[in-house]
Amino acid sequence: MKRYLLPVFVFFLFFTSFGQVRPVFIEPALSVGKTLKGRWSANAKLVFRQQMGLFDSDGFTAFSQSDILEIQLFANYKLLGSKQITLGYLYGIDEPFLDEPAWEHRLMQQFTFGSGNGFKWVNRFRLEQRFGEENFRNRFRYRFTFDRPISGSQLDSGEWYFVAGDEWLYTFTGKAGEDHLENRLNAGLGYLFENGQKLQFEIQYRIIRMVSSCASSAWHFLVTHNLKW
Amino acid sequence: MQKLLILVAVIFFPFLMLAQQNVKYEREKKISAEDFPDAAMQLILPLLENAKAVKFYQETNQDGINYEVKLKYDKTHYSIEFDSLQRLKDVEELLDWKKATDIPRAAIKRNMDDTFRKQKVTRIQKQYNLKSSVKQLQSLPPSEDIILSINYELEVEGEMHRKNVLQFYELLFDENGELIQQRVIQKNITDNLIF
């Protein structure tokens, strides 16, 4: 257990050493998977993001504020060799409880491949077309994620696992000065239930608009419940 | 009504048993060397001096509780399995499907082609079934004089003929490459890594 906690601790120490107050978000999500006929499967994911401890130049303004509500739908087709191609759609609402929240429609094309016994890893490549009320953006994402049982060489029900990953996101619009790069580094713990469901707690550190003068960062605490229907 | 239910149960029971046997169930728990049974430890004691990455496990499967040691010996990964009575069950040597030369590849491939429309081998182990008279394992792989039989255990991702479903299977072949056993492996969901 100790050897898994050490990298998480170093990860915390490294990023908090900047000594600046960064926005903190809590992001609970529910992901439901369903095996369909043949090689097809479907997934639905509901994400609700809440920003905690809001400050402005005058100081504390609010304890929390809802930030994003997203509904994601995916159709997946399995390929031999632990590969999968996916088409997805997302409907997102920014600050959903305001009088005039902003919306977004997003189309997604995804290819994943992975493997592993015990140490399971997945490479994910995703293209996104993001249709906002006033703008359109493309985004390319690459993510590497793995999980590994805390005890034993294979993950059995009733056991905890360690999960970590890193994702690079490149937004391109075709307009000068608007393209930007983002990185999301995450680590956490998950639990596999007897019924095959997984509950996962992760800390994610995001660096937004990297390699630019307006770079910023934020902490996200992710809690995701994965279940099969 | 009662007679009808008994009749239905009698007809369907063998099929239910068959269906259960075809799915691999295995639960593994890491244990300390102190918790590993003494009799089993005595059997592998000479190996431990030259072994690396030695890990001890308690395994629960359809047959009950087994004990297993996983180790690296002479740059090769082995697992040594004992039954609940601490008797040596088998020794498994991890092979590389693409590089391994001393395996009945053609026969295994032919058998897999008969079963699957498409398949990919994700793992192969050479299984040494040893004579019950073995008192101690001196080296790995086991010497010829203590080997009773050799099997090959493959983990395969495959799509069966007339079935458009990709699944993982555990296939057991004898030393001539003839299929002895076929079981479905139930994999954990990986949605947490994909979405």
Side-chain angles (χ1 to χ4, degrees), chain A residues 94 102-106 128-138 171-175 178 180 209:
Chain A
D94 271 5
W103 52 259
E104 180 188 333
H105 295 285
R106 195 184 299 178
E128 294 177 338
Q129 297 82 47
R130 308 179 66 183
F131 301 88
E133 277 178 276
E134 291 169 0
N135 58 23
F136 170 75
R137 289 165 291 170
N138 289 291
T171 299
F172 52 105
T173 59
K175 293 174 187 168
E178 288 194 13
H180 61 267
R209 293 186 180 275

Side-chain angles (χ1 to χ4, degrees), chain B residues 134-179:
Chain B
V134 175
K135 296 279 180 276
Q136 217 167 33
L137 270 173
Q138 299 295 333
S139 65
L140 291 173
S143 54
E144 291 284 334
D145 57 315
I146 61 167
I147 296 172
L148 190 68
S149 65
I150 288 175
N151 293 331
Y152 295 92
E153 189 183 279
L154 274 72
E155 186 184 296
V156 172
E157 187 188 12
E159 186 179 69
M160 284 187 167
H161 292 292
R162 298 188 298 279
K163 265 190 180 179
N164 191 25
V165 181
L166 269 178
Q167 269 184 311
F168 281 88
Y169 298 88
E170 186 190 88
L171 308 176
L172 191 66
F173 295 94
D174 67 14
E175 54 195 317
N176 300 314
E178 294 306 318
L179 187 64

Side-chain angles (χ1 to χ4, degrees), chain A residues 17-228:
Chain A
S17 64
F18 286 96
Q20 292 173 5
V21 176
R22 294 177 173 79
V24 173
F25 298 88
I26 291 179
E27 204 171 305
L30 178 69
S31 171
V32 184
K34 168 92 177 148
T35 305
L36 302 173
K37 203 177 172 188
R39 294 184 177 202
W40 288 93
S41 65
N43 279 80
K45 192 173 180 182
L46 185 69
V47 182
F48 180 65
R49 189 196 296 160
Q50 189 86 1
Q51 185 171 357
M52 307 303 290
L54 280 86
F55 293 85
D56 63 12
S57 53
D58 297 329
F60 181 80
T61 57
F63 177 70
S64 71
Q65 179 182 297
S66 37
D67 184 57
I68 274 179
L69 179 67
E70 287 177 351
I71 298 160
Q72 305 173 19
L73 301 168
F74 300 98
N76 316 300
Y77 186 78
K78 265 191 204 172
L79 301 170
L80 191 69
S82 301
K83 300 182 189 89
Q84 185 170 282
I85 47 175
T86 296
L87 292 175
Y89 166 76
L90 177 148
Y91 178 68
I93 310 170
D94 271 5
E95 299 179 337
F97 300 111
L98 290 185
D99 289 340
E100 290 181 8
W103 52 259
E104 180 188 333
H105 295 285
R106 195 184 299 178
L107 298 176
M108 296 171 277
Q109 304 85 44
Q110 181 176 297
F111 173 69
T112 50
F113 70 93
S115 190
N117 291 298
F119 177 92
K120 287 206 171 297
W121 53 268
V122 168
N123 282 288
R124 186 182 84 180
F125 300 88
R126 185 187 277 186
L127 266 176
E128 294 177 338
Q129 297 82 47
R130 308 179 66 183
F131 301 88
E133 277 178 276
E134 291 169 0
N135 58 23
F136 170 75
R137 289 165 291 170
N138 289 291
R139 189 158 68 172
F140 172 71
R141 303 167 67 156
Y142 165 72
R143 189 173 86 170
F144 175 77
T145 327
F146 72 90
D147 68 20
R148 196 188 193 295
I150 300 279
S151 172
S153 61
Q154 67 178 43
L155 182 63
D156 297 312
S157 53
E159 286 183 353
W160 288 90
Y161 60 91
F162 174 72
V163 60
D166 189 36
E167 182 171 25
W168 291 89
L169 304 92
Y170 181 65
T171 299
F172 52 105
T173 59
K175 293 174 187 168
E178 288 194 13
D179 297 359
H180 61 267
L181 187 66
E182 183 178 332
N183 185 256
R184 297 177 183 176
L185 188 64
N186 53 299
L189 291 173
Y191 184 81
L192 177 67
F193 290 93
E194 295 287 341
N195 55 13
Q197 298 181 7
K198 280 180 173 175
L199 183 63
Q200 198 163 286
F201 304 90
E202 285 173 280
I203 301 160
Q204 186 179 73
Y205 184 73
R206 294 188 181 185
I207 309 172
I208 304 139
R209 293 186 180 275
M210 293 175 82
V211 209
S212 82
S213 57
C214 52
S216 62
S217 61
W219 287 102
H220 287 243
F221 294 89
L222 317 176
V223 181
T224 311
H225 190 181
N226 291 278
L227 54 102
K228 275 277 181 200

